Every structure is written in structure tokens, then in C-alpha cells.
Amino acid sequence: MFIKTFSPSKYNTYVECNLKYRYKYIDYLKDEYNKGLSKDALQFGSYIHKIFEDGVEAKSVDELRRIARDLRGNYHFKGRVQDIETCIKHFFEFNSKLEGSVSTEMIFEEKISDDFSLNGIIDRVCKSKNGKYLVIDYKTSKREKTKRELYNDPQLLIYALAMSRMYKTPVNNITVSHYYPLTGNLVSIKYLPNQVNSFAKKIQDKKWEIRKKKVAQFQPKVNRFCDWCGYKEICPKHGATNREINEALKASKFGRSKSRGSKG
Ligand code: SF4
């Protein structure tokens, strides 16, 4: 299957489960096949991101609270009043200490070979007076990742690789981080150039792996995120029949009306 871009979520989806990748990026199925799945956490995360984006210049916590009130009606989740307040207070304190904001919600597309690009949206990029970059990804989960986990985080590796090419700066000038507004903590690391280079090679390997695959070869891989998968009800590993799968594929505007077992 042809592929010419990887975003962090596209890459992660492929690594996590090939069938999920197929449903999402080849068949363009909406991830609405899991009735037990609550969208509250996603909506809460989007809401907090939007407050931080619109409130990046806020001069007080009250101004952030006003922005939050104005936006609240656009997002659909229950409760979490105290969490919103905690995020706002922590963010105001954190944001006021950051220097040299280059961009919020920075959309990027960076070629890494003639026919392949990395793309995505980076929550925040700052540049210090001495030319060092700080890349921040806001995370609204309560569990923080460790530094060790960040060293193997494809999202941050993609950011480091794209940033170093976009700004023509060495990888060791770039600090990548997760900011957790619920706890107020920033977990940050720097990659060594060889870590980013070997990840770049891994990306090219995955690209070719996908390009060589026929659609029927995108197989399900049961993993710890299956309960949060928006395609669980059309997953053969979770009891879906060929008929159910075909119906979902037919209903998709772009989907293929073939079952997993058929040739694509
Ligand atoms: S439920 Fe699990 S195995 Fe099935 S498509 Fe989703 S991630 Fe893959």
C-alpha cells in the first residue's frame, strides 16, 4: 500500500496494530466501532490544549479562566471542574517561566527523502537566547511517562528529527518534553544524534514494509490498548464476523468492500 507520510499517530497506530492502521488510514473508517468507549478523556484533552493555545499570552489566571469558560460549550465531557482549575493554575505558572515562544500548535511537514515526509502538529516550540530549542507536548493524563520511556517515544523522536531538519540545528540543541498540567511537571530529555539517526532508518524500514504489503496482510495484533480501540467491534480477534466487517467497509465512503481475508 502506498504511503508518503508518517505522523506520530500514524506511525504508532501501525506499530500497535496493522489492522487498526488499515481501518484508519487505508479504509478511512471512522473510529466509532466501540460502544463501550468513552470519548470524555479525548474531549478533555482537546479542551485543555485549546485553552493553552488561546491563552498563551494570558496575563493572569483569571484571563485563562475566562478563556476556559468561553470554550467549554464546544467540548463534551462530564465534570472535571477541579481538574480544569488545576491545569489552568499550573499552566499559568509554567507558561510565565518559558522564554522565546516560537510557535504554538505548529503544523509541520518535513521531507526526509525524495518521496517521504514527516508531518504533525507540535503543541509548543520555544527557542532560548542561546539558540537551544524546547519542544513541548502537553499531556492531560495523570500518569507521567518516565525519561526512560521518552527515549523510546516515537512521537518525540519524530519531533526531534523533523525539528533538527527544519531549523538546521544539531539534535543535541533540541530538548523534547512532556508537560503534565494535572501535576505541573515537565519531563524532558535530549536525544543523541545516533538515536535519532537509527530512528530515521526505522521509519524508512516501516515505510517499505507498508509499501510491500497488500491490504489483506494488515493483520490484527491484540495489545494492551484494544479496549480503547475504536474498531474493536469490527475486529476478528474480538469476535467480529466477516459479514460485520464487510458491512462496515461498505458503509465507508472510501472503504473497500472486501473482508480481511480477501486479496486487496
Ligand atoms: S481491537 Fe486490538 S487487535 Fe483489534 S483492531 Fe483494534 S487494536 Fe487491533
Side-chain angles (χ1 to χ4, degrees):
M1 295 307 303
F2 192 67
I3 175 171
K4 58 179 185 174
T5 60
F6 260 143
S7 65
S9 64
K10 196 171 178 182
Y11 179 87
N12 277 335
T13 302
Y14 180 72
V15 172
E16 192 179 298
C17 171
N18 283 198
L19 181 62
K20 187 175 175 182
Y21 175 92
R22 177 203 151 159
Y23 283 158
K24 188 166 181 179
Y25 296 104
I26 300 174
D27 296 312
Y28 300 102
L29 286 178
K30 287 189 180 158
D31 57 349
E32 55 192 21
Y33 297 91
N34 188 342
K35 290 188 190 73
L37 186 65
S38 164
K39 296 261 166 108
D40 279 21
L42 273 178
Q43 284 281 304
F44 176 74
S46 303
Y47 173 60
I48 296 296
H49 275 72
K50 186 67 178 152
I51 297 169
F52 294 175
E53 183 188 355
D54 290 2
V56 72
E57 307 280 355
K59 298 283 181 284
S60 66
V61 172
D62 274 343
E63 194 179 337
L64 280 173
R65 287 189 186 117
R66 269 196 300 280
I67 291 167
R69 269 198 303 277
D70 291 346
L71 291 170
R72 183 65 182 88
N74 302 334
Y75 296 87
H76 307 288
F77 61 91
K78 294 189 196 90
R80 304 202 67 171
V81 175
Q82 191 50 53
D83 284 345
I84 297 165
E85 179 67 10
T86 302
C87 288
I88 286 174
K89 281 184 178 159
H90 280 151
F91 178 73
F92 182 73
E93 197 184 326
F94 171 69
N95 192 44
S96 47
K97 287 183 202 146
L98 289 176
E99 59 170 311
S101 196
V102 173
S103 180
T104 56
E105 298 295 310
M106 185 177 88
I107 298 169
F108 69 90
E109 172 135 11
E110 181 64 23
K111 270 191 172 224
I112 56 164
S113 62
D114 284 350
D115 63 348
F116 201 75
S117 304
L118 298 176
N119 62 17
I121 304 174
I122 303 179
D123 290 336
R124 188 79 173 268
V125 177
C126 298
K127 186 181 181 187
S128 68
K129 287 189 190 94
N130 56 4
K132 311 265 186 200
Y133 289 90
L134 172 63
V135 174
I136 305 168
D137 190 51
Y138 303 138
K139 294 288 183 199
T140 49
S141 56
K142 282 180 179 145
R143 190 188 89 77
E144 292 176 14
K145 282 196 175 179
T146 61
K147 282 179 188 271
R148 179 188 271 253
E149 286 173 298
L150 295 198
Y151 280 113
N152 293 306
D153 187 295
Q155 180 186 30
L156 294 183
L157 279 157
I158 285 176
Y159 289 170
L161 175 58
M163 284 284 301
S164 109
R165 296 176 70 98
M166 276 187 295
Y167 291 97
K168 300 189 185 351
T169 190
V171 163
N172 49 15
N173 265 349
I174 303 167
T175 299
V176 290
S177 65
H178 282 175
Y179 174 63
Y180 295 88
L182 279 168
T183 59
N185 291 334
L186 182 80
V187 184
S188 63
I189 57 158
K190 269 186 194 179
Y191 294 113
L192 295 170
N194 67 343
Q195 287 174 299
V196 174
N197 290 342
S198 58
F199 182 72
K201 182 172 176 317
K202 207 167 166 180
I203 282 182
Q204 295 292 351
D205 292 346
K206 293 287 178 212
K207 172 190 84 176
W208 284 114
E209 196 178 297
I210 291 173
R211 284 187 179 172
K212 284 178 193 154
K213 269 188 179 164
K214 293 201 164 46
V215 75
Q217 293 174 310
F218 288 78
Q219 293 292 315
K221 184 168 94 186
V222 173
N223 62 80
R224 65 195 169 102
F225 301 114
C226 283
D227 284 346
W228 290 274
C229 173
Y231 305 105
K232 197 174 174 189
E233 285 159 14
I234 51 168
C235 175
K237 292 283 186 191
H238 293 274
T241 62
N242 274 353
R243 199 169 136 257
E244 287 166 324
I245 295 166
N246 278 330
E247 271 171 15
L249 292 172
K250 275 184 202 155
S252 158
K253 191 174 165 196
F254 303 99
R256 289 148 204 279
S257 54
K258 291 178 179 177
S259 71
R260 267 187 58 256
S262 62
K263 289 209 163 115

